[in-house]
C-alpha cells in the first residue's frame, strides 16, 4: 500500500480540502475537519497553521489567521518542526507540527511532513489567488471599492429580488481633486484617494454599497432611512496620510447628486440621471442636488443640443436672419442685426432654445464665428449684385474675451471677403462679471484700431451701468427692451428715466439705438425725446436673407 503523499489517505485528504473551496476560511476549516485522515501516517500530535497576509486594495485589512487544525486527545511532544513560507505578496504562511506523544519522527516521516506543510501553503496560495481573481474584475484597483462592473452587478441583484426601491442612488464627486494632484503630486493624490475610499466605505451599512467609477467620481446605493446620515458624513471627509514621516490631515469635500429610487427605475436610466445630476451640481456650484423630472428633462435637452451642435455646424443647419434697424424720422433702413436660427427636424428654433446651452459648454464661440462668416459672405455677394451695403451687427459672447487674438480673428473674415470694416459691427452683451473687464478693454481697443465699431447690447441689464459707460470706449449703446417697456402711456417717471439715460449716453459721444420697439406709441415717445434709431417688431421681425435683401433693395419703409 502506498505511503506518504501518494497514499489513499493523503489523496482523500487533498481532495476534501480542495473540492468546492473558494476562500481561505473554508480551506482552513476543511483542514481541521479532515486532518485525521493523515494524522496516522504523519504521526501528528498537533498541527497549527498561521497565516499573515499584507493588506491590499482587494483585501484592505489583509488576512490574518492562527488556527490549530489538529490536536490529539492523547497529547503531543513539545519539540516540533516548523515550516515558514514567504508568499509572492510578501505574506507569511507558517505550519507548526508536533509529533504524537512518545514518538520521534524518522527522516521519512519528516519528508512526508514537509510535503504536507508545503502543499497546505501551495493550496492556500491557489485558493487566495482564485478569490482575488474573482474580486479583481469588480474591484477598483486604486481604492479597493467596487468598480463600475461590480456595483452594476450588485445593483442587478437588488433589482432582481425587488428591493432596489428601498435605496437612494448617490453620485459623488470630490471637489477640486485636480488641484490636490497638482499641488501635492499624483502619488500623494493616489494615497489620499485610497484612504478616502477606506473612509467612505465605513459610512455604508452591511446591505449598502459604494463604488469608484474612475477619477474622482463615486457611486453609492444607500438605504433611504440612512441617507440623511450618509450625506452628512460624505460632504466632508477627513483623511490622514503620512508624508515624509509626518501624518497630515486633509479635508476632502464632495458634492452629491441623488435619486430616491422608484419601482419603475431601470439601472440604465438611474446611471444616466445620476451623471446628469452631478454635472448640474458642478455647474450651479451646489453641494447636494436631488433629482426631479423637470431638471432631468432640461438637462437631457441641453445634452442633446450639445451633442447635435458639431453636426449642425458641419451641415450648415444654422441659418442667419436679419432684423432691420430703422431711422423712425426718415424711415430709412440704416442697419441690421444678424440673428441665428437652428433648423432641426424641419422646424426653426429661436436662440432662446439653444444659446444658453452653447454658452455653458463653450461652443457658442464657434457659432459666433459661423455667423460672422455667413454675414461677410452674404455682404460680398450683395456687393457683387450691386446692392448698397449697410452696417450689420453680429453678436459675440463674453466667452471670447480670454482670447487675446480675437480682434485679429474677426478681421481675418472681414479681409477674406473684402468687406469695408465700417459695415461690420460687433455687438456685445453688457458684462455681468468683473472678471470680463480687462479682456474686454483690450478687445475694444484692438477693434477700434482696425475700424470695426462695437455696440453694447441689452444695456441696463448688467452690472453698474453708469460705471460701464465711464469705463468702456464703445461706439453704440442698445437700450434693452425693458427700458422701452417702462414708458407706457401716462408713465411720466419711466419716460424721464429713458430720456435722461439717452441724453447722458449722447453727451459722452456714443450713439443710441432702442431695441424691442413694438408700438407706434413707443416710437412717437422715443422720437420726442430725441431717439429715432430703433429696432423692433414695429417695422420687422428677424427676416430670412431673401426677404431681407428685398428690404435692402428698397432702402426704406416709406
Amino acid at each position: 500500500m502506498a505511503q506518504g503523499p501518494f497514499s489513499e489517505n493523503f489523496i482523500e485528504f487533498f481532495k476534501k480540502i480542495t473540492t468546492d473551496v473558494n476562500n481561505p476560511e473554508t480551506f482552513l476549516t476543511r483542514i481541521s475537519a479532515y486532518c485525521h485522515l493523515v494524522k496516522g501516517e504523519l504521526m501528528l500530535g498537533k498541527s497549527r497553521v498561521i497565516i499573515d497576509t499584507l493588506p491590499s486594495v482587494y483585501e484592505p485589512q489583509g488576512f490574518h489567521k492562527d488556527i490549530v487544525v489538529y490536536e490529539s486527545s492523547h497529547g503531543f511532544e513539545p519539540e516540533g518542526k516548523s515550516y515558514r513560507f514567504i508568499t509572492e505578496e510578501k505574506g507569511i504562511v507558517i505550519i507548526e507540527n508536533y509529533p504524537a506523544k512518545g514518538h520521534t519522527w524518522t527522516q521519512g516521516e519528516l519528508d512526508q511532513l514537509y510535503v504536507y506543510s508545503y502543499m497546505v501553503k501551495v493550496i492556500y496560495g491557489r485558493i487566495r489567488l482564485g478569490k482575488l481573481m474573482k474580486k479583481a474584475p469588480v474591484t477598483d484597483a486604486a481604492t479597493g471599492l467596487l468598480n463600475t462592473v461590480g456595483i452594476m452587478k450588485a445593483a442587478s441583484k437588488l433589482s432582481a429580488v425587488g428591493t432596489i426601491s428601498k435605496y437612494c442612488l448617490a453620485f459623488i464627486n470630490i471637489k477640486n481633486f485636480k488641484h490636490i494632484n497638482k499641488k501635492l503630486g499624483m502619488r500623494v493624490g493616489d494615497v489620499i484617494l485610497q484612504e478616502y475610499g477606506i473612509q467612505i466605505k465605513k459610512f455604508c451599512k452591511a446591505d449598502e454599497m459604494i463604488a469608484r467609477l474612475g477619477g474622482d467620481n463615486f457611486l453609492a446605493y444607500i438605504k433611504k432611512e440612512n441617507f440623511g446620515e450618509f450625506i452628512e458624513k460624505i460632504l466632508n471627509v477627513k483623511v490622514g496620510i503620512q508624508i515624509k514621516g509626518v501624518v497630515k490631515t486633509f479635508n476632502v469635500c464632495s458634492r452629491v447628486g441623488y435619486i430616491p429610487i422608484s419601482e419603475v427605475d431601470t439601472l440604465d436610466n438611474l446611471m444616466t440621471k445620476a451623471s446628469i445630476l452631478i454635472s448640474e451640481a458642478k455647474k450651479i456650484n451646489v453641494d447636494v442636488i436631488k433629482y426631479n423630472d423637470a431638471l432631468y428633462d432640461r438637462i437631457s435637452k441641453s445634452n442633446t443640443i450639445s451633442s447635435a451642435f458639431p453636426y449642425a455646424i458641419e451641415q450648415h443647419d444654422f441659418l442667419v436672419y436679419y432684423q432691420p434697424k430703422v431711422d423712425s424720422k426718415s424711415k430709412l433702413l440704416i442697419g441690421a442685426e444678424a440673428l441665428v436660427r437652428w433648423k432641426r427636424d424641419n422646424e426653426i428654433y429661436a436662440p432662446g432654445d439653444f444659446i444658453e446651452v452653447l454658452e455653458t459648454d463653450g461652443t457658442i464661440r464657434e457659432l459666433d464665428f459661423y455667423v460672422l462668416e455667413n454675414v461677410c459672405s452674404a455682404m460680398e455677394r450683395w456687393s457683387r449684385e450691386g446692392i448698397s451695403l449697410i452696417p450689420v451687427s453680429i453678436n459675440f459672447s463674453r466667452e471670447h474675451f480670454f482670447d487675446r487674438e480675437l480682434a485679429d480673428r474677426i478681421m481675418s473674415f472681414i479681409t477674406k471677403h473684402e468687406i469695408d470694416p465700417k459695415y461690420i459691427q460687433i455687438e456685445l452683451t453688457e458684462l455681468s462679471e468683473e472678471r470680463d473687464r480687462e479682456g474686454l478693454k483690450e478687445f475694444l481697443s484692438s477693434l477700434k484700431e482696425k475700424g470695426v465699431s462695437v455696440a453694447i447690447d441689452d444695456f441696463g441689464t448688467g452690472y453698474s451701468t453708469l460705471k460701464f459707460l465711464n469705463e468702456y470706449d464703445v461706439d453704440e449703446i442698445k437700450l434693452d427692451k425693458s427700458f422701452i417697456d417702462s414708458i407706457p402711456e401716462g408713465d411720466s417717471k419711466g419716460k424721464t428715466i429713458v430720456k435722461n439715460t439717452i441724453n447722458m449716453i449722447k453727451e459722452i459721444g456714443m450713439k443710441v439705438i432702442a431695441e424691442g420697439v413694438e408700438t407706434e406709441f413707443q416710437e412717437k415717445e422715443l422720437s420726442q425725446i430725441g431717439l429715432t434709431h430703433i429696432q423692433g417688431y414695429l417695422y420687422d421681425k428677424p427676416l430670412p436673407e431673401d426677404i431681407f435683401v428685398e428690404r435692402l433693395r428698397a432702402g426704406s419703409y416709406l
Side-chain angles (χ1 to χ4, degrees), residues 232-452:
E232 187 177 336
K233 292 178 178 178
I234 202 74
L235 292 179
N236 195 334
V237 180
K238 293 187 182 299
V239 173
I241 67 168
Q242 194 172 84
I243 301 177
K244 296 180 179 180
V246 178
V247 175
K248 293 190 176 183
T249 300
F250 298 90
N251 289 328
V252 182
C253 300
S254 305
R255 55 175 62 90
V256 181
Y258 73 97
I259 308 160
I261 301 173
S262 69
E263 293 179 356
V264 298
D265 281 317
T266 66
L267 296 181
D268 286 341
N269 73 25
L270 283 172
M271 291 294 287
T272 301
K273 290 176 182 178
S275 60
I276 284 175
L277 279 174
I278 205 66
S279 175
E280 182 71 2
K282 288 181 182 179
K283 184 168 72 176
I284 64 178
N285 195 28
V286 297
D287 290 339
V288 181
I289 185 169
K290 181 181 178 181
Y291 167 81
N292 63 70
D293 289 332
L295 175 65
Y296 177 71
D297 291 343
R298 178 170 62 81
I299 299 174
S300 294
K301 179 182 176 182
S302 296
N303 289 344
T304 299
I305 290 171
S306 293
S307 60
F309 176 78
Y311 182 77
I313 282 283
E314 181 182 323
Q315 296 299 311
H316 299 279
D317 290 340
F318 288 99
L319 309 176
V320 178
Y321 278 48
Y322 297 85
Q323 186 170 28
K325 298 176 182 178
V326 180
D327 185 320
S328 62
K329 185 177 182 179
S330 65
K331 305 301 180 184
L332 292 176
L333 181 60
I334 58 171
E337 178 182 2
L339 298 165
V340 68
R341 300 290 186 267
W342 190 346
K343 185 177 181 180
R344 295 182 63 200
D345 304 322
N346 295 318
E347 290 188 38
I348 303 297
Y349 290 86
D353 294 321
F354 56 85
I355 289 295
E356 184 179 354
V357 175
L358 301 184
E359 285 181 334
T360 300
D361 66 22
T363 50
I364 188 66
R365 296 190 295 271
E366 187 176 353
L367 181 61
D368 290 344
F369 280 111
Y370 173 94
V371 174
L372 175 62
E373 168 76 24
N374 275 265
V375 169
C376 290
S377 177
M379 282 187 159
E380 182 181 17
R381 188 169 58 254
W382 300 339
S383 185
R384 286 198 306 267
E385 293 172 5
I387 300 173
S388 298
L389 299 182
I390 57 175
V392 176
S393 61
I394 299 100
N395 290 280
F396 265 68
S397 166
R398 66 175 64 103
E399 297 300 318
H400 289 282
F401 297 152
F402 299 104
D403 179 2
R404 296 306 184 224
E405 297 179 356
L406 176 58
D408 290 333
R409 292 187 63 192
I410 289 172
M411 281 305 301
S412 70
F413 288 93
I414 296 173
T415 303
K416 172 185 174 183
H417 294 282
E418 300 180 337
I419 306 300
D420 189 327
K422 72 180 182 180
Y423 292 119
I424 297 294
Q425 183 180 68
I426 301 302
E427 198 165 299
L428 308 172
T429 300
E430 185 184 349
L431 304 185
S432 60
E433 298 180 41
E434 290 283 347
R435 67 181 177 89
D436 297 324
R437 294 171 59 200
E438 293 306 317
L440 177 57
K441 283 182 178 180
E442 186 176 328
F443 171 64
L444 294 176
S445 176
S446 184
L447 275 187
K448 202 169 190 68
E449 291 175 2
K450 294 171 172 56
V452 178

Side-chain angles (χ1 to χ4, degrees), residues 43-47 70-78 98-103:
M43 295 304 294
L44 274 178
K46 180 180 178 181
S47 185
Y70 175 74
E71 185 171 345
S72 172
S73 59
H74 299 295
F76 55 90
E77 292 296 320
Y98 300 88
K101 187 71 173 178
H103 184 77

Side-chain angles (χ1 to χ4, degrees), residues 24 52 65 115 151 171 190 220 247 255 278 344 428 518 557:
D52 190 7
K65 203 73 175 180
V115 173
I151 201 162
F171 193 111
D190 288 345
V247 175
R255 55 175 62 90
I278 205 66
R344 295 182 63 200
L428 308 172
E518 298 179 348
Y557 284 83

